[in-house]
Amino acid sequence: MQSANMLLRKIVRSSVLPFTAQHGMKKDLFPLSRTLSLSLCLKQDKSCEPSEKLDLDEWKKVMKSGLQEEVSEKVSEPKELSSLAAARQTLEMWRLAGRAVPEKISEAQLKTFMECPSKSAKKKYLKYLHLKELYKKNDKRKMDEKRERRLEAQDEASKTDETKKSSFVCLWTSTMDKAYNWRAAQSMIFGQPLVFDMSYEKEMSVREVTNTVRQLVMSESCNRRSVDPFHIHFCNFKDDSLYQREFIKHYREAWDKLLITVTDQCYTEIFPKDKLIYLTADSPKVMKTFDHDKIYIVGSMVDKSIKTGVSLARAKRLGLETAALPLEKYLLWSTGAKNLTLDQMMHILLTLKDTADWKKALEFVPKRKYCGFVNKPVKDLKKTLDLINTLKLGKAREEVEKKFAKNYPKK
Amino acid sequence: VLPPEKPLQAEEWNKLREDFQLPEIFEEVMLNSMIRCNSPVDVAKSLLTHLAKRNGDVAYNVLVKYLTLCVQQGQVSEIRDVYDIMKVRFKILESGAYNLLVKGLSNSDQWRMALTLLEEIKKIMIPSRTCYESCIKAASRHQEMKLAFELYNEMMAKGVVPTLDVLQSFFSFSRGMNDAELQKELFGILLYLRENQIYPHKTFMRSIKLWFESIPGENWRGRLTKIKDSGQCPVCNHQLEDSNLTEEEYSNLSERIIRDVIHGTDTFRKTSPKEFEAFQTFVESRLPFDIVIDGLNVSHIKSRKMQCENLFDAVNCLAKENVRLLVLGRKHMLMNSSNWKREIMKEMQNKADFFFAENISEDDAFLLYATLRSGKHCKFVTRDFLRDHKACLSDSVTRHLFRKWQRGHQIAKNKWFSSVFSQQPAFRYDCVVQTTGDTWHVPYKDVFEEKYSYQIPRKWLCIQQK
């Protein structure tokens, strides 16, 4: 009996199992083996541990046996790997190990990955690619869902089949574009200039340049949509620079038709020096009002590693006036650097130009960076805080009094 | 989730899995908690068996987790089995698995296999420092010091920084050997500590001491001590190395300060060429100074006092017979204001030379320049640790030089009298591992963790040959 049982076990383990595991037949087979072993236990010894009937090394056999064919295939492959292939395989292993690694990686990306100077740089780059891939996937999923919904809606619409009457032909986007372009063209003749200083390419990494260009594209679009746009100048713009390549990636053919001035000249060559004001967060001077006769310069730089004083140094070198936004004056700053993104700057400047209302303009500072608006100058800030504290304490006292009153009601 | 105490049947695992909130990651979470609780390997095995039966496969990350558990418990045969499986399954492994395998095998009697594994890793990538650490430790544990040093030199050549543990293991396992070659290598490690200004911790120091004392026939004797302020070792009466830089180091440092700290990528960032030139001519015309004071920093010593009074106290305290003072400040100090009274400023200007930089310039850079330019005897006063300026220096050798110079030349505020300055800077002697041939002096830390970069240990090991 025992030997027969053993034999059966062996058969089950060694040959049938991989097959069954793959084809989902285990349900039929295993109860049998278990009852057999159970009965064995009962016969032999009642204090038998439940673990005994489990073959703990079974998984090893599964892992090894399921692989026989694959192994023979692998032998024929050449042993030496090119460095690219090796890197690709390492990535694959990292992905299996559950690290943040993209599923697909292009040849160029792989090369960038291999050129990363350190382990942490490699890790960061992979994480960036991984997240990018995730976002892309999510976007695609959402698009698909949207399309489905639209198709459904169309189906329903076709069932009801009603034509709406309206005095306008539905050509919203192109009409709007025309209107915007007309305004932008007007601004190119009559508008107040706003200069973006494009001379920071050397100061930035490739990714920072990419981000800069994205922010500039956003700034340009919000300028175009505004009621009274600026006349945008990209100064110190070198042909065939990284900036230009990135811009062309974004705008494609539209790059040459943009209603802005792009020049390799410096702003000091185009405009009188005394009219220029360089906007930089490091400036000791704080901007009080928006001057419609001045020409403001914004440095087209994303500095993730907070390079203090780079743009201030540039203004100093050229002997230009500088100014910083009065962030401290109007906002109770909490966290984050005082440098804002280019599109935020654009929003703020446009609002200032139209309304001269600092509060309205500084709404565009990200909410996470400040706690609230201050009505009084910074000197009074402490007083305000004190007031808040006393108010809080006062409230606490009131509550205590209320409790007291509850516990000891007046007669 | 708490892992079960005994191996479970497939149904039982299934039930547990269904009860778990996120069944997809159940295995990972379970194995993680097994690692945390150090569960018996059998329990993990039963989970793997269950997985293998269900999916016909065990995922790589699960295998790695299981391997972690095996390494944690030193289950050598299991580690080997897992390695065999992985090798068949995957062409190469990633660093996490390699680290675990090397670590697990090197702690067993099959440690030589860890070495072959290390060779395998080298074909694909630079092995991590933990890999090297395990192998070196294994080799030195088995008294194969030559092999251990080969690995050590190899990792140094690849730019992998060794842990203190590795360095310590060399000393602990070389005890009692009389081998000139080995001795040379160990002295090499001590010099490595010296060059990189690394301070061993207490147990490491003890290994060094015991190794010295164990060299047959050389009569080394080590004792723990504290060095006197004068720089003399109380045990052997030996004078420690001076904290002063050599001429070459000195000129090197001042050159680098000008190049990296003051000019950097753009002179306009900290000052302007015009201003720096003006400052240079100013300094050259009045050289040499004895003490350079960071006016703005010193003026904030006591917050209750007026800022110019603080500075006035400091100048009075430091001004003695024939001491030439230079105070650096900014132009706004000259404007008569509530904090800066014109009369007091006038009075101070009689006692010391003043240079006022632009309000948006960095005066610290000027402080460094003026002090270095005045020569070795010149000291400076500021409470600033000057970390941001140290960071501007591009290589670690110069940064070490900077710290050494700073230790020897920065005048600190006296702890007990807040406005009295102790004229002596913190250290006259250099705080690094040092030797004269028949003595060794090794500074050490009491605790393992890193100190602040400006702090240095006060305790020393003095080793002397009788």
Side-chain angles (χ1 to χ4, degrees):
Chain A
M1 172 67 200
Q2 199 181 339
S3 60
N5 199 354
M6 288 293 281
L7 190 70
L8 199 96
R9 267 197 193 176
K10 251 186 195 167
I11 293 168
V12 168
R13 259 186 256 141
S14 58
S15 61
V16 189
L17 205 137
F19 174 75
T20 52
Q22 277 159 16
H23 297 270
M25 275 169 65
K26 58 197 171 192
K27 275 176 205 151
D28 314 323
L29 247 162
F30 278 95
L32 180 69
S33 68
R34 199 174 309 114
T35 44
L36 276 173
S37 56
L38 250 179
S39 59
L40 182 75
C41 280
L42 287 171
K43 267 183 193 170
Q44 281 180 338
D45 193 353
K46 287 198 173 175
S47 67
C48 175
E49 288 280 310
S51 64
E52 262 183 44
K53 66 202 170 191
L54 268 170
D55 181 4
L56 290 168
D57 287 334
E58 210 165 75
W59 63 275
K60 291 182 191 168
K61 281 162 205 153
V62 174
M63 293 295 285
K64 283 176 187 166
S65 59
L67 281 161
Q68 292 309 320
E69 313 98 75
E70 283 179 46
V71 173
S72 54
E73 274 168 32
K74 263 179 196 165
V75 174
S76 61
E77 274 176 44
K79 265 254 164 180
E80 287 302 307
L81 288 163
S82 75
S83 60
L84 268 181
R88 203 175 271 279
Q89 273 194 5
T90 319
L91 286 191
E92 177 59 22
M93 292 317 289
W94 280 352
R95 205 174 62 75
L96 286 179
R99 291 217 220 167
V101 170
E103 273 175 37
K104 284 175 204 151
I105 188 163
S106 71
E107 202 94 317
Q109 284 169 336
L110 203 62
K111 270 186 190 140
T112 327
F113 162 74
M114 284 165 69
E115 279 158 15
C116 285
S118 66
K119 264 188 195 173
S120 60
K122 278 182 184 168
K123 235 187 244 174
K124 267 184 204 161
Y125 181 64
L126 286 178
K127 195 177 171 193
Y128 158 72
L129 289 179
H130 174 69
L131 286 178
K132 210 166 117 182
E133 196 180 69
L134 266 184
Y135 292 140
K136 227 179 190 173
K137 252 190 214 162
N138 271 343
D139 282 351
K140 200 170 173 258
R141 208 197 57 228
K142 275 179 197 160
M143 288 275 278
D144 288 345
E145 278 171 13
K146 214 176 170 184
R147 188 182 302 136
E148 251 165 55
R149 247 179 286 143
R150 202 175 52 217
L151 283 176
E152 271 171 36
Q154 262 180 10
D155 276 353
E156 269 176 37
S158 63
K159 272 174 203 164
T160 51
D161 198 27
E162 243 178 65
T163 43
K164 286 171 197 157
K165 280 183 185 172
S166 140
S167 56
F168 296 115
V169 187
C170 206
L171 282 172
W172 269 103
T173 46
S174 67
T175 327
M176 289 306 273
D177 276 348
K178 264 181 204 157
Y180 290 146
N181 282 339
W182 192 77
R183 266 192 220 146
Q186 218 173 17
S187 83
M188 282 194 70
I189 308 169
F190 304 112
Q192 182 179 3
L194 178 72
V195 177
F196 283 97
D197 181 3
M198 314 292 279
S199 56
Y200 294 101
E201 200 176 293
K202 271 187 209 149
E203 252 91 18
M204 288 188 282
S205 66
V206 178
R207 261 180 77 192
E208 282 170 336
V209 174
T210 320
N211 291 351
T212 308
V213 169
R214 186 175 301 155
Q215 289 178 13
L216 283 171
V217 169
M218 271 150 77
S219 317
E220 190 272 327
S221 83
C222 92
N223 180 57
R224 199 189 329 149
R225 270 151 232 267
S226 72
V227 186
D228 182 16
F230 283 108
H231 176 194
I232 296 181
H233 285 72
F234 286 169
C235 289
N236 293 323
F237 192 93
K238 301 275 177 298
D239 269 340
D240 206 36
S241 58
L242 199 52
Y243 277 125
Q244 195 191 22
R245 266 173 274 155
E246 286 294 327
F247 269 120
I248 288 171
K249 243 188 230 170
H250 271 280
Y251 282 114
R252 310 242 169 89
E253 328 50 278
W255 170 240
D256 292 324
K257 294 174 201 153
L258 277 185
L259 293 170
I260 56 175
T261 303
V262 180
T263 168
D264 62 345
Q265 281 181 304
C266 185
Y267 28 85
T268 46
E269 295 166 38
I270 307 174
F271 303 108
K273 251 189 184 181
D274 55 323
K275 278 203 165 187
L276 292 170
I277 296 183
Y278 210 116
L279 292 176
T280 161
D282 298 319
S283 170
K285 275 183 209 139
V286 173
M287 198 170 155
K288 285 212 178 71
T289 49
F290 182 86
D291 193 334
H292 294 269
D293 293 328
K294 295 277 186 196
I295 293 146
Y296 290 96
I297 308 168
V298 180
S300 308
M301 178 165 80
V302 169
D303 50 343
K304 292 201 166 161
S305 55
I306 313 270
K307 298 177 191 87
T308 318
V310 172
S311 52
L312 184 65
R314 190 132 312 173
K316 251 161 110 185
R317 181 192 295 278
L318 297 168
L320 299 178
E321 207 181 313
T322 60
L325 293 182
L327 298 174
E328 293 270 79
K329 193 177 160 194
Y330 289 96
L331 302 173
L332 260 173
W333 201 261
S334 65
T335 53
K338 299 257 165 56
N339 51 0
L340 301 176
T341 61
L342 300 171
D343 51 311
Q344 284 159 11
M345 276 310 275
M346 187 54 128
H347 276 296
I348 290 172
L349 290 174
L350 279 171
T351 320
L352 277 180
K353 189 158 93 111
D354 293 344
T355 62
D357 183 351
W358 278 108
K359 211 183 152 190
K360 223 172 168 183
L362 294 181
E363 289 278 355
F364 290 101
V365 177
K367 296 274 181 295
R368 65 171 188 281
K369 287 194 175 184
Y370 63 95
C371 316
F373 281 90
V374 245
N375 310 322
K376 294 168 192 170
V378 190
K379 277 178 200 166
D380 296 342
L381 209 140
K382 206 172 167 276
K383 279 184 203 163
T384 327
L385 278 178
D386 284 348
L387 194 72
I388 290 169
N389 282 336
T390 50
L391 276 176
K392 266 187 195 165
L393 287 177
K395 253 188 192 169
R397 197 180 300 139
E398 263 179 34
E399 270 174 24
V400 170
E401 275 169 9
K402 258 185 201 168
K403 264 187 192 168
F404 186 80
K406 235 185 199 174
N407 293 339
Y408 303 96
K410 281 176 192 167
K411 279 177 189 171
Chain B
V1 277
L2 272 178
E5 281 163 19
K6 282 180 194 160
L8 298 185
Q9 291 287 352
E11 285 86 58
E12 293 169 295
W13 279 122
N14 261 334
K15 194 170 175 309
L16 272 181
R17 187 171 189 266
E18 275 156 25
D19 291 345
F20 191 67
Q21 291 161 332
L22 298 159
E24 310 88 61
I25 56 162
F26 170 73
E27 290 82 25
E28 276 180 60
V29 175
M30 185 49 86
L31 276 165
N32 277 344
S33 81
M34 281 181 195
I35 293 166
R36 203 168 43 243
C37 307
N38 207 10
S39 307
V41 183
D42 283 351
V43 181
K45 273 185 182 175
S46 78
L47 177 58
L48 290 195
T49 305
H50 159 64
L51 271 175
K53 277 190 205 164
R54 207 186 59 207
N55 308 329
D57 187 18
V58 180
Y60 180 75
N61 59 342
V62 174
L63 278 180
V64 173
K65 293 227 159 83
Y66 175 64
L67 187 60
T68 316
L69 191 68
C70 296
V71 171
Q72 196 170 300
Q73 300 178 6
Q75 305 269 1
V76 183
S77 65
E78 279 306 303
I79 296 170
R80 291 206 55 165
D81 279 354
V82 175
Y83 175 54
D84 288 339
I85 288 171
M86 283 181 160
K87 215 164 78 175
V88 179
R89 200 86 230 233
F90 308 103
K91 260 189 204 162
I92 56 167
L93 308 182
E94 46 77 62
S95 45
Y98 278 133
N99 283 350
L100 283 168
L101 286 168
V102 169
K103 193 178 167 199
L105 291 170
S106 67
N107 281 328
S108 70
D109 48 356
Q110 306 193 11
W111 62 278
R112 282 195 187 274
M113 211 179 134
L115 293 180
T116 48
L117 206 57
L118 188 73
E119 291 304 314
E120 233 179 278
I121 301 172
K122 271 189 245 164
K123 283 181 200 157
I124 312 162
M125 53 184 133
I126 297 177
S128 67
R129 73 182 201 164
T130 47
C131 274
Y132 272 115
E133 182 180 337
S134 312
C135 289
I136 290 174
K137 271 189 179 168
S140 44
R141 199 168 26 239
H142 294 86
Q143 299 291 308
E144 299 237 7
M145 297 317 288
K146 208 174 163 200
L147 177 64
F149 271 108
E150 262 169 36
L151 288 170
Y152 171 72
N153 291 328
E154 184 186 303
M155 85 188 272
M156 294 297 255
K158 285 190 170 149
V160 184
V161 180
T163 55
L164 285 186
D165 257 18
V166 170
L167 303 180
Q168 189 188 341
S169 76
F170 281 122
F171 284 95
S172 359
F173 292 113
S174 310
R175 233 169 263 169
M177 289 190 213
N178 195 358
D179 178 351
E181 200 58 27
L182 178 73
Q183 209 163 324
K184 217 174 109 194
E185 292 277 15
L186 288 168
F187 284 158
I189 292 179
L190 287 174
L191 292 178
Y192 171 77
L193 295 180
R194 175 191 168 84
E195 263 147 42
N196 294 286
Q197 296 194 17
I198 299 169
Y199 306 119
H201 48 85
K202 215 172 187 174
T203 44
F204 186 2
M205 176 276 296
R206 211 160 279 147
S207 304
I208 297 176
K209 180 171 178 275
L210 289 175
W211 172 72
F212 267 105
E213 288 170 343
S214 76
I215 305 173
E218 294 207 355
N219 268 329
W220 289 96
R221 175 109 208 263
R223 266 187 286 178
L224 308 186
T225 180
K226 277 183 181 173
I227 303 294
K228 291 178 194 163
D229 282 344
S230 61
Q232 203 182 37
C233 169
V235 180
C236 61
N237 291 324
H238 179 74
Q239 185 70 30
L240 289 197
E241 277 175 46
D242 209 83
S243 71
N244 281 334
L245 309 187
T246 64
E247 284 302 329
E248 199 193 333
E249 286 172 331
Y250 208 86
S251 63
N252 206 348
L253 182 64
S254 33
E255 230 170 73
R256 294 297 296 279
I257 293 267
I258 294 172
R259 202 184 79 197
D260 293 349
V261 179
I262 297 175
H263 293 305
T265 51
D266 187 351
T267 318
F268 283 96
R269 279 177 77 168
K270 286 187 176 156
T271 166
S272 67
K274 209 171 139 198
E275 188 184 31
F276 185 57
E277 210 173 286
F279 178 67
Q280 269 181 317
T281 40
F282 169 83
V283 170
E284 297 302 326
S285 66
R286 296 173 200 222
L287 278 176
F289 299 103
D290 298 310
I291 297 172
V292 183
I293 302 169
D294 183 350
L296 277 175
N297 188 291
V298 166
S299 70
H300 286 283
I301 280 183
K302 274 186 178 173
S303 54
R304 296 260 170 102
K305 265 190 173 173
M306 216 192 298
Q307 285 171 14
C308 67
E309 274 182 343
N310 273 327
L311 183 59
F312 190 63
D313 287 348
V315 170
N316 276 339
C317 168
L318 293 167
K320 300 235 169 67
E321 289 284 303
N322 293 327
V323 171
R324 292 180 55 81
L325 294 178
L326 169 64
V327 181
L328 292 167
R330 294 214 181 101
K331 290 212 164 126
H332 73 77
M333 291 158 77
L334 287 171
M335 310 282 272
N336 201 11
S337 66
S338 60
N339 263 321
W340 298 98
K341 293 277 173 251
R342 192 164 278 162
E343 309 85 65
I344 302 179
M345 290 301 286
K346 275 261 166 62
E347 209 179 325
M348 271 192 280
Q349 274 165 316
N350 293 329
K351 296 186 176 179
D353 278 317
F354 272 74
F355 183 85
F356 297 99
E358 292 293 332
N359 291 340
I360 51 169
S361 293
E362 288 239 7
D363 49 355
D364 288 352
F366 292 154
L367 175 88
L368 297 177
Y369 176 78
T371 316
L372 280 165
R373 194 66 197 83
S374 295
K376 282 183 184 174
H377 70 287
C378 183
K379 309 207 166 68
F380 64 95
V381 188
T382 176
R383 287 181 303 169
D384 200 317
F385 291 121
L386 306 173
R387 279 176 276 224
D388 44 346
H389 304 292
K390 191 187 90 167
C392 290
L393 298 167
S394 48
D395 65 297
S396 66
V397 179
T398 326
R399 283 202 287 268
H400 284 318
L401 270 187
F402 181 77
R403 271 279 177 259
K404 186 179 165 184
W405 172 76
Q406 190 190 355
R407 280 201 293 270
H409 292 81
Q410 183 163 12
I411 293 179
K413 199 181 57 173
N414 197 313
K415 253 186 209 164
W416 294 280
F417 313 100
S418 62
S419 62
V420 177
F421 294 88
S422 52
Q423 286 270 1
Q424 283 310 318
F427 291 98
R428 283 196 185 179
Y429 54 93
D430 192 13
C431 191
V432 285
V433 176
Q434 43 193 283
T435 178
T436 56
D438 58 347
T439 62
W440 280 87
H441 287 92
V442 181
Y444 68 92
K445 299 182 287 191
D446 258 334
V447 274
F448 178 73
E449 72 245 30
E450 271 307 313
K451 287 202 166 189
Y452 301 104
S453 69
Y454 60 87
Q455 272 182 349
I456 46 173
R458 310 300 301 266
K459 294 184 175 172
W460 288 74
L461 166 68
C462 162
I463 310 167
Q464 204 183 354
Q465 199 169 24
K466 288 265 161 76

